[in-house]
């Protein structure tokens, strides 16, 4: 169980004297949690009718937001035609048709899209691209990225004519994300450079800061109220010069901070409205082994870096920033599968761990098992590839945990996110049926939390109206 979870549990022991009906006037975490999905194959690589179906299924599971992938190199022309105006979304050469359809489908389903942009066209990459460089990752031009960001924000400003529907405008999109996993050479190169004295230093963070700032300024120039999210970082890194930059090394460099979080020269601090991290791991409470890596229970390390940047004015605009998680999953397939029951339990406990670390925006990666995948992402969906639901669909719609309190055999941590606000009944299995042992009021966002005197050996579930959570199981 994570250190932050233990702190919460200890402080929550003060709540043991509450009456049988808990008053959710305040909780030691966010009062709401926005949940969503990222699934390019289900939302964007299918026919419009199939995409609409998957958006509606996501909405039915309680998701209110979706991250859509914008491949810059696919929207932009392979070679720039004469007269190409990169900042104009209507210029000849751009092909927005696939993205337009995904945005229409998402908004029609009541979903709020986040447009995540990555992969530069060849003409927007740096010179002397190595033969083994990842396509679209070599030293992308901040100026070209800014021009594309301007075009993107303008096309989905709510004022741009829909080319397929006369007299209508394309939907408004107000959430944008600059790149993906920039601490990986799969998305941004080079990650490291060798100094004249022979030392190897991280380079990716400096390059990314320039990309982020250019994109931020371009989007805000079109939509001042838009929300610009920094790219999600990978959880694990490698030794200097080898491959991936460890996330904490990358973030300290991006915010111009030393290893002890002291400020260093930073003429153009990063501009962002929120950070993002992808805390993949073996299980929801397994910490990273190396100090500069960040698995799910380790997010306090990123918060420390972010707070240091805020204190030293090394992040702009001024004011507190949030931390999002736009990718998390556990797989029922691939090389290290878990059972459906464990996937569902990991989802619920993972959401609780994230909530306990002040994360209020969480995206599951992906909605369905990706077709043909054989790697670690083979079984990450909440649906099988044929559309049959897994147990984890119920956990996503109504996550609930009843965790033992460390060193206390008479109490449990009850937490959940109900599909609707109101009063939740906590029920104990008794023979073939269930009886209510406690009721709890949720926040307006459906969150409930308490640490009552209940035996951790009880099998418990949560119920509100017609909605019932899965019975909680201890995954060990």
């Amino acid at each position: 169980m994570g250190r932050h979870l233990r702190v919460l549990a200890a402080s929550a022991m003060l709540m043991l004297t509450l009456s049988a009906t808990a008053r959710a006037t305040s909780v030691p975490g966010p009062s709401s949690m926005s949940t969503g999905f990222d699934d390019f194959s289900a939302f964007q690589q299918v026919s419009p009718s199939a995409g609409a179906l998957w958006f509606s299924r996501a909405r039915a599971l309680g998701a209110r937001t979706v991250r859509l992938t914008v491949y810059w190199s696919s929207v932009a022309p392979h070679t720039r035609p004469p007269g190409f105006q990169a900042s104009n979304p209507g210029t000849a050469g751009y092909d927005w048709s696939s993205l337009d359809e995904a945005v229409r489908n998402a908004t029609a389903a009541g979903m709020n899209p986040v447009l995540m942009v990555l992969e530069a066209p060849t003409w927007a990459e740096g010179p002397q691209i190595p033969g083994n460089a990842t396509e679209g990752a070599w030293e992308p031009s901040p100026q070209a990225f800014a021009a594309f960001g301007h075009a993107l924000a303008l096309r989905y400003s709510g004022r741009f004519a829909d080319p397929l529907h006369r007299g209508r405008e394309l939907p408004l999109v107000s959430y944008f994300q600059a790149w993906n996993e920039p601490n990986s050479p799969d998305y941004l190169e080079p990650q490291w450079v060798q100094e004249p004295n022979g030392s190897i230093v991280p380079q990716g963070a400096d390059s990314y800061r320039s990309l982020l700032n250019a994109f931020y300024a371009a989007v805000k120039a079109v939509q001042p109220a838009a929300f610009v999210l920094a790219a999600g970082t990978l959880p694990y890194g490698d030794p200097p010069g080898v491959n991936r930059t460890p996330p904490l090394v990358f973030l300290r460099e991006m915010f111009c901070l030393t290893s002890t979080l002291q400020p260093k020269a930073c003429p153009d601090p990063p501009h962002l409205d929120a950070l993002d991290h992808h805390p993949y791991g073996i299980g929801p409470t397994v910490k990273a082994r190396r100090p500069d890596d960040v698995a799910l229970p380790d997010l306090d390390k990123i918060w420390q870096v972010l707070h240091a940047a805020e204190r030293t004015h090394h992040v702009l605009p001024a004011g507190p920033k949030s931390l999002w998680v736009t990718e998390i999953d556990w797989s029922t397939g691939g090389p290290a599968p878990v059972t459906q029951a464990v996937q569902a339990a990991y989802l619920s406990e993972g959401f609780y761990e994230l909530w306990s670390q002040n994360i209020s925006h969480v995206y599951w990666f992906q909605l369905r098992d990706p077709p043909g995948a054989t790697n670690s992402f083979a079984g990450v969906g909440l649906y099988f590839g044929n559309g049959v639901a897994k147990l984890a669909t119920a956990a996503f719609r109504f996550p609930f945990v009843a965790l033992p309190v460390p060193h206390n055999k008479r109490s449990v941590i009850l937490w959940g996110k109900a599909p609707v606000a109101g009063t939740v009944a906590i029920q104990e299995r008794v023979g073939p049926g269930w009886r209510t042992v406690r009721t709890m009021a949720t926040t307006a966002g459906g969150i409930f939390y308490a640490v009552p005197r209940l035996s951790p050996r009880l099998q418990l579930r949560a119920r509100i109206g017609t909605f019932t959570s899965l019975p909680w199981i201890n995954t060990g």
Side-chain angles (χ1 to χ4, degrees):
M1 188 174 293
R3 179 173 62 85
H4 195 94
L5 185 154
R6 291 196 295 270
V7 171
L8 275 176
S11 65
M13 292 299 290
L14 297 174
M15 303 173 65
L16 294 180
T17 59
L18 291 178
S19 63
T21 300
R23 305 292 183 184
T25 54
S26 63
V27 288
S31 61
S32 64
M33 175 181 278
S34 175
T35 55
F37 289 100
D38 180 328
D39 193 330
F40 183 74
S41 67
F43 297 142
Q44 299 176 254
Q45 275 189 318
V46 292
S47 68
S49 59
L53 172 64
W54 286 110
F55 280 121
S56 66
R57 286 186 172 181
R59 186 69 168 78
L61 293 182
R64 297 296 181 268
T65 182
V66 60
R67 192 171 74 145
L68 300 179
T69 302
V70 183
Y71 286 103
W72 178 13
S73 60
S74 296
V75 175
H78 182 68
T79 57
R80 286 174 292 185
F84 180 69
Q85 299 175 348
S87 61
N88 177 5
T91 194
Y94 275 139
D95 180 4
W96 302 93
S97 55
S98 178
L99 183 60
D100 284 350
E101 191 61 49
V103 169
R104 290 190 199 98
N105 277 342
T107 54
M111 306 285 279
N112 201 7
V114 177
L115 301 184
M116 184 272 291
V117 189
L118 73 161
E119 193 175 289
T122 303
W123 50 264
E125 292 185 272
Q128 301 177 335
I129 303 175
N132 62 349
T134 304
E135 183 177 350
W138 184 258
E139 296 183 345
S141 162
Q143 294 76 22
F145 193 41
F148 185 72
H150 184 279
L152 186 70
L154 183 57
R155 190 169 186 90
Y156 302 108
S157 63
R159 305 186 305 270
F160 196 86
D162 188 329
L164 296 187
H165 300 94
R166 183 183 296 273
R168 289 167 54 182
E169 286 75 39
L170 287 166
L172 170 67
V173 177
S174 299
Y175 289 83
F176 302 88
Q177 186 168 27
W179 223 254
N180 186 59
E181 297 180 351
N183 60 325
S184 167
D186 288 342
Y187 297 98
L188 187 63
E189 295 187 83
Q191 286 289 305
W192 308 89
V193 295
Q194 188 171 25
E195 298 273 280
N197 63 7
S199 63
I200 296 174
V201 297
Q203 172 65 30
D206 289 340
S207 300
Y208 179 67
R209 189 190 316 110
S210 297
L211 285 173
L212 173 62
N213 286 350
F215 185 84
Y216 186 96
V219 169
K220 294 285 187 171
V222 179
Q223 294 191 41
F227 191 95
V228 178
L229 186 62
T233 41
L234 276 174
Y236 309 107
D238 299 294
V242 175
N243 197 341
R244 305 162 298 179
T245 306
L248 289 185
V249 172
F250 185 91
L251 291 172
R252 289 194 300 263
E253 288 294 323
M254 188 180 87
F255 289 119
C256 309
L257 298 170
T258 68
S259 60
T260 58
L261 302 184
Q262 298 303 305
K264 55 185 181 180
C266 200
D268 190 16
H271 290 60
L272 54 94
D273 295 318
L275 271 187
D276 181 19
H277 184 63
H278 301 163
Y280 291 109
I282 297 172
T285 60
V286 179
K287 288 178 169 285
R289 289 179 293 178
R290 290 179 292 196
D292 286 325
D293 290 342
V294 181
L296 194 151
D298 307 314
L299 292 172
D300 62 306
K301 295 191 288 187
I302 292 182
W303 280 116
Q304 290 172 19
V305 174
L306 182 56
H307 292 330
E310 292 169 351
R311 288 195 305 271
T312 57
H313 306 289
H314 276 210
V315 59
L316 297 174
K321 310 299 180 189
S322 55
L323 175 59
W324 292 28
V325 168
T326 61
E327 290 187 28
I328 190 70
D329 64 46
W330 287 277
S331 175
T332 60
V338 298
T339 65
Q340 283 195 59
V342 170
Q343 183 193 43
Y346 277 4
L347 186 156
S348 289
E349 189 168 4
F351 280 18
Y352 166 68
E353 282 279 346
L354 292 171
W355 174 85
S356 73
Q357 296 176 90
N358 204 33
I359 305 300
S360 57
H361 292 77
V362 181
Y363 293 67
W364 186 266
F365 185 87
Q366 304 176 16
L367 180 55
R368 68 165 180 177
D369 291 346
T374 57
N375 57 14
S376 59
F377 293 117
V380 297
L382 304 190
Y383 289 86
F384 291 104
N386 61 6
V388 174
K390 301 181 187 179
L391 283 175
T393 55
F396 187 94
R397 182 162 183 76
F398 195 168
F400 168 70
V401 298
L403 298 167
V405 177
H407 314 300
N408 186 322
K409 296 182 179 180
R410 295 183 295 176
S411 300
V412 294
I413 301 168
L414 299 177
W415 176 87
K417 176 182 178 294
V420 294
T423 300
V424 173
I426 305 301
Q427 298 181 326
E428 169 198 359
R429 181 183 289 279
V430 179
W434 297 83
R435 71 179 180 93
T436 297
V437 295
R438 182 182 178 87
T439 58
M440 302 172 63
T442 75
T443 65
I447 300 295
F448 56 96
Y449 172 86
V451 187
R453 288 184 179 273
L454 288 172
S455 170
R457 292 190 295 271
L458 297 177
Q459 187 174 22
L460 301 173
R461 71 179 189 183
R463 184 176 178 85
I464 185 168
T466 60
F467 301 104
T468 305
S469 75
L470 292 174
W472 174 250
I473 62 169
N474 187 353
T475 60

